[in-house]
Amino acid sequence: DGKLKDKEKLTFCDSKYNYCHPTLSDDGNLLVFSSDMPCEHAGLNLFYSKKENGNWTEPKPLNKINSDADEIFPMIEGKDLYFSSNGYNTQGGYDLFVAHKKDSSSEISDQWSNHFNLGGNINSALTQYVR
């Protein structure tokens, strides 16, 4: 009916870090979000948590996706993970990228690969706006 129910606090959240832009897989068992939690990359990075036996696992970084810039606004659509990044070779800042899920790996951090910039039909060059 479009109403939020079964609200629960995520046990892994720590007030020292920021958590933003959550997205859930279609089955509701995979959560991907941006955070400034520590990992091998600087900036905001994408992390994931799996729902196992009714509980969310400790988040792990999507290291094959993350850069030393910011990865934000993830969205899972079927086997695709869309996100925005100001890393890599962007056309104008926070370009949109997509990564495709490989079924061959059991570890989620290794399943998303071959991320690529969605290109000029979606992204544009950085422009200066004058008020």
Side-chain angles (χ1 to χ4, degrees), residues 23 28 36 42-43 60 66 69 82 84 86 111 114:
T23 185
D36 59 355
K60 294 182 183 177
N66 295 325
Y82 295 89
S84 181
N86 65 346
Q111 287 181 357
N114 302 323

Side-chain angles (χ1 to χ4, degrees), residues 9-14 19 31 33 37 49 56-59:
K9 181 179 178 182
L10 296 171
T11 58
F12 59 75
C13 289
D14 185 325
Y19 305 87
L31 173 69
F33 59 93
M37 292 186 308
S49 177
W56 291 102
T57 61
E58 283 298 312

Side-chain angles (χ1 to χ4, degrees), residues 80-101:
D80 295 326
L81 174 65
Y82 295 89
F83 62 98
S84 181
S85 177
N86 65 346
Y88 306 111
N89 188 15
T90 64
Q91 295 182 23
Y94 284 98
D95 285 6
L96 293 176
F97 290 78
V98 65
H100 302 293
K101 187 175 184 180

Side-chain angles (χ1 to χ4, degrees), residues 98-128:
V98 65
H100 302 293
K101 187 175 184 180
K102 300 184 300 184
D103 292 325
S104 59
S105 175
S106 62
E107 184 58 41
I108 296 205
S109 63
D110 296 330
Q111 287 181 357
W112 303 98
S113 67
N114 302 323
H115 60 281
F116 61 92
N117 190 309
L118 290 176
N121 289 332
I122 301 292
N123 299 307
S124 61
L126 183 64
T127 58
Q128 294 287 332

Side-chain angles (χ1 to χ4, degrees), residues 41-54:
H41 297 283
L44 289 170
N45 292 286
L46 298 184
F47 289 81
Y48 74 93
S49 177
K50 297 185 292 184
K51 195 166 203 177
E52 295 179 348
N53 301 317

